[in-house]
Amino acid sequence: MMKLKISDMMDNIQDDTVLFQIKEIASSDKIKEVAMNKLHANSNTHARTRKVSAMLIAAVLATILLAGTTLAVYYFSMKDLEGPAVQVGGEEAHTLSLNGLKGSPEYEAAQEWERYVEAWYAKGENLAVPDLAPDAYTQYNAFSQDAKDTLDDILSKYNLRMHDAATQVNSLDELYSGLGVSGFMPIVGDNGTFPVSGTFYDDGTFTLNGAAALPDGADVRYQFYCFTKGTFTRVGYLLADVNDFEEWVYTTSHGDDILLAIGANKSILAVNLDKSFVFVNILSGAENSDDNRSSYGAKPVGKRDLEALADSFDFAAIRGLAR
Amino acid sequence: MDEKNALRALKKKDEAALAWFIDRYAAYVNTIVYNIIGRIMTASDVEEVASDVFLVFWSNADKVKPDKIKAYLGGVARNKAKDKTRELGQDLPLEDDVIGISSVGPEHTFELREQAEMLEKAIRSMQHPDREIFLRHYYYCHPVAQIAEEMKINASTVKTRLRRGRQKLKEILSEGGFDDEIKNLRYDGQYTG
């Protein structure tokens, strides 16, 4: 038997036929003030941050009826996801950060820690030994006391905390059960037989290799990363050059702003939520060339496909995971 | 300014147009949001959600038709407020919100578009006041008591009409599911229902 929630089905219809009693809860001036605050705050970039004083807000509100000024609504861009350049096969390769925007504590801490780990490895230090007892530091490749002390310093510097032990999952149901929530991912493709795998932590951070059915029925596979802010994850970078993507900001039917980017062989979805950061590596792009391992055999996607995929994730439920 | 011209201006990112729409629809949006989250969140939370609704409108003005503005704003307000309850892990106080379609197996999926079409078909087939009661409860998330008070009918009548609406919806979904089962049977030769 298939079960459907009526109130969820109603998410995709619109109505203006019901005439209910209108309540006077807040004045339209108050709504305007809050909306304009946010509109102007969103127009800032890292380089152009500015404080908006109450007087400036009042001045703007006073002038909006007189002049038709326009402001671009700024979200973040792919440039804010650029990771460090790395060496691959003797050549320099570009990367994207998975766990946060450039400048965020999570991003900076990850880079700083990686520099230490690489430096120790190059010197033959901080190596895992056979009789090493695993602890909370092991997941971060901190094996020596020096490494553990350094990691503690970095966590303190950026005000981050470690994850507890990771739990592996092999199905969406296991993930939902582990996180204590109901479904928030799209129905897995291949009529439910696609092998899902992932990891979650008690703080709500999780990763998932999954798949979804696109509107035309084709499956698209993805790697979903959700990092609770304030936690530290040792995660690699995605090999990708921001210049190889066409990006845009899409607002879902639930009002979430999503950064979408489509490339030749992969696509990106990224969302900066209040308490977590989401990055989805979509294993399909506009072309899917035969020599690309990740997207080989996958049906190419278009912009509408990525928007439909963005609509299928329940970001409201994902927001509630962060602890 | 009329709605058509205001929408045209909003598409050009005219803040005066946004202010005009807020003046026109703030009370409507506020009421929808308040009816869903007013019992569990503060007045300033309601204002935050309501302001977000207009910012979504600002970002998506290109997608809105002039005769669908009120419906669009209502839909976004309803969904955003509903999302807030999910973030807080709260359930909506709705009667029998989950329906089971026995002719369709659990592994089957309806695309969102299919669901919306069947739902609209079910709602269109309902007579007044069943249609209004169904929308008030499952779309606007009004509790039974509120519907009874505002429509001046008793609560047991509201529940009876909701049950009828759910039954109508089940019938239409079952018809749609049965058709798709036949397609699946032809596609892979194995009946999994």
Side-chain angles (χ1 to χ4, degrees):
Chain A
M1 173 183 291
M2 179 186 190
K3 294 191 176 180
L4 292 169
K5 207 167 176 184
I6 302 173
S7 57
D8 285 349
M9 291 173 66
M10 292 280 196
D11 289 357
N12 299 296
I13 69 163
Q14 292 178 357
D15 172 76
D16 61 359
T17 62
V18 175
L19 302 175
F20 46 81
Q21 289 173 6
I22 301 296
K23 298 179 172 123
E24 292 299 328
I25 301 149
S27 70
S28 63
D29 286 339
K30 182 67 181 164
I31 304 298
K32 259 186 286 191
E33 181 186 334
V34 176
M36 294 303 175
N37 274 353
K38 291 182 188 178
L39 193 61
H40 301 152
N42 284 345
S43 71
N44 293 339
T45 64
H46 295 296
R48 294 190 275 117
T49 47
R50 54 185 168 89
K51 284 190 178 175
V52 182
S53 67
M55 286 190 63
L56 181 58
I57 293 168
V60 169
L61 282 174
T63 58
I64 56 175
L65 290 177
L66 301 177
T69 56
T70 61
L71 275 176
V73 177
Y74 169 80
Y75 193 49
F76 63 88
S77 74
M78 289 285 279
K79 280 287 185 187
D80 296 310
L81 297 175
E82 264 186 320
V86 297
Q87 290 291 319
V88 178
E91 292 186 1
E92 191 175 85
H94 297 277
T95 67
L96 296 179
S97 160
L98 302 177
N99 68 333
L101 300 177
K102 216 185 273 189
S104 67
E106 294 81 7
Y107 177 101
E108 297 297 334
Q111 288 214 35
E112 193 167 324
W113 177 241
E114 283 312 300
R115 286 196 290 271
Y116 275 108
V117 169
E118 284 168 25
W120 286 319
Y121 187 72
K123 291 186 286 187
E125 296 174 8
N126 185 38
L127 299 174
V129 294
D131 59 352
L132 184 71
D135 59 21
Y137 293 87
T138 310
Q139 63 179 314
Y140 297 105
N141 276 37
F143 306 120
S144 67
Q145 191 56 51
D146 188 30
K148 293 177 184 179
D149 291 341
T150 302
L151 180 57
D152 283 339
D153 289 342
I154 290 175
L155 295 179
S156 176
K157 177 180 174 182
Y158 292 103
N159 197 23
L160 301 172
R161 63 185 192 278
M162 285 195 282
H163 295 303
D164 54 8
T167 303
Q168 309 295 328
V169 297
N170 294 299
S171 72
L172 285 177
D173 284 341
E174 282 182 45
L175 181 67
Y176 297 150
S177 171
L179 290 170
V181 293
S182 57
F184 53 80
M185 305 294 267
I187 300 296
V188 178
D190 291 340
N191 283 329
T193 61
F194 182 79
V196 167
S197 64
T199 304
F200 74 87
Y201 301 89
D202 283 348
D203 56 51
T205 296
F206 73 92
T207 66
L208 184 80
N209 294 316
L214 295 176
D216 65 359
D219 287 340
V220 64
R221 299 185 180 188
Y222 58 79
Q223 295 166 335
F224 195 107
Y225 302 89
C226 175
F227 301 102
T228 296
K229 291 179 180 177
T231 64
F232 181 60
T233 306
R234 184 168 184 264
V235 65
Y237 297 97
L238 185 70
L239 290 176
D241 186 341
V242 299
N243 297 308
D244 292 339
F245 293 87
E246 181 188 351
E247 62 181 276
W248 70 104
V249 177
Y250 171 67
T251 305
T252 69
S253 56
H254 286 242
D256 292 304
D257 287 327
I258 311 286
L259 178 72
L260 292 173
I262 189 166
N265 297 297
K266 63 161 66 90
S267 304
I268 306 294
L269 179 158
V271 189
N272 192 23
L273 302 174
D274 296 342
K275 296 179 184 173
S276 51
F277 184 79
V278 171
F279 185 106
V280 186
N281 177 29
I282 301 157
L283 303 181
S284 181
E287 297 166 17
N288 294 349
S289 54
D290 289 344
D291 60 354
N292 185 274
R293 275 191 310 170
S294 298
S295 62
Y296 178 75
K299 192 172 174 206
V301 293
K303 283 185 174 182
R304 298 291 89 83
D305 293 319
L306 297 183
E307 290 174 356
L309 183 63
D311 277 325
S312 70
F313 295 120
D314 188 344
F315 288 106
I318 292 171
R319 271 194 185 82
L321 297 176
R323 300 190 254 283
Chain B
M1 206 186 300
D2 63 16
E3 284 206 354
K4 204 169 172 181
N5 290 327
L7 183 61
R8 197 175 291 130
L10 191 72
K11 289 177 183 181
K12 294 177 185 172
K13 298 302 181 202
D14 185 339
E15 286 191 20
L18 179 63
W20 187 88
F21 277 114
I22 293 175
D23 280 333
R24 192 170 177 82
Y25 286 110
Y28 177 70
V29 166
N30 263 342
T31 301
I32 292 174
V33 173
Y34 179 81
N35 278 334
I36 297 174
I37 66 171
R39 63 189 168 87
I40 55 174
M41 300 188 84
T42 65
S44 64
D45 292 324
V46 173
E47 286 160 8
E48 284 285 327
V49 175
S51 67
D52 285 344
V53 170
F54 289 101
L55 291 178
V56 171
F57 186 29
W58 169 270
S59 301
N60 288 276
D62 283 340
K63 299 175 190 168
V64 184
K65 294 179 182 168
D67 59 340
K68 298 289 183 193
I69 293 169
K70 186 180 178 187
Y72 176 82
L73 288 171
V76 175
R78 181 246 181 214
N79 286 347
K80 275 214 162 280
K82 188 165 159 278
D83 286 350
K84 272 292 176 192
T85 67
R86 291 211 72 177
E87 283 177 38
L88 296 173
Q90 296 269 340
D91 287 326
L92 295 167
L94 301 175
E95 297 268 314
D96 291 334
D97 196 12
V98 177
I99 53 173
I101 316 296
S102 55
S103 64
V104 182
E107 74 284 355
H108 183 91
T109 63
F110 286 116
E111 285 182 20
L112 292 178
R113 184 177 51 81
E114 275 181 297
Q115 281 187 28
E117 283 173 0
M118 284 188 271
L119 181 61
E120 285 187 29
K121 184 179 174 183
I123 292 172
R124 273 199 307 274
S125 72
M126 295 178 199
Q127 302 296 318
H128 180 76
D130 291 28
R131 181 189 307 163
E132 180 172 337
I133 292 171
F134 199 82
L135 284 169
R136 276 177 176 266
H137 192 61
Y138 291 112
Y139 184 76
Y140 293 103
C141 305
H142 293 182
V144 168
Q146 181 181 345
I147 297 172
E149 186 189 327
E150 291 189 14
M151 293 184 72
K152 309 244 183 304
I153 50 181
N154 62 48
S156 60
T157 302
V158 173
K159 290 186 182 185
T160 301
R161 303 298 173 111
L162 286 174
R163 198 179 321 121
R164 281 216 299 236
R166 289 194 296 272
Q167 186 55 41
K168 173 57 73 177
L169 180 57
K170 272 184 82 162
E171 285 168 15
I172 287 174
L173 286 168
S174 295
E175 287 166 18
F178 179 73
D179 288 340
D180 279 271
E181 284 291 289
I182 296 295
K183 284 183 212 162
N184 286 341
L185 183 63
R186 286 177 189 154
Y187 172 71
D188 61 16
Q190 269 187 309
Y191 182 71
T192 56

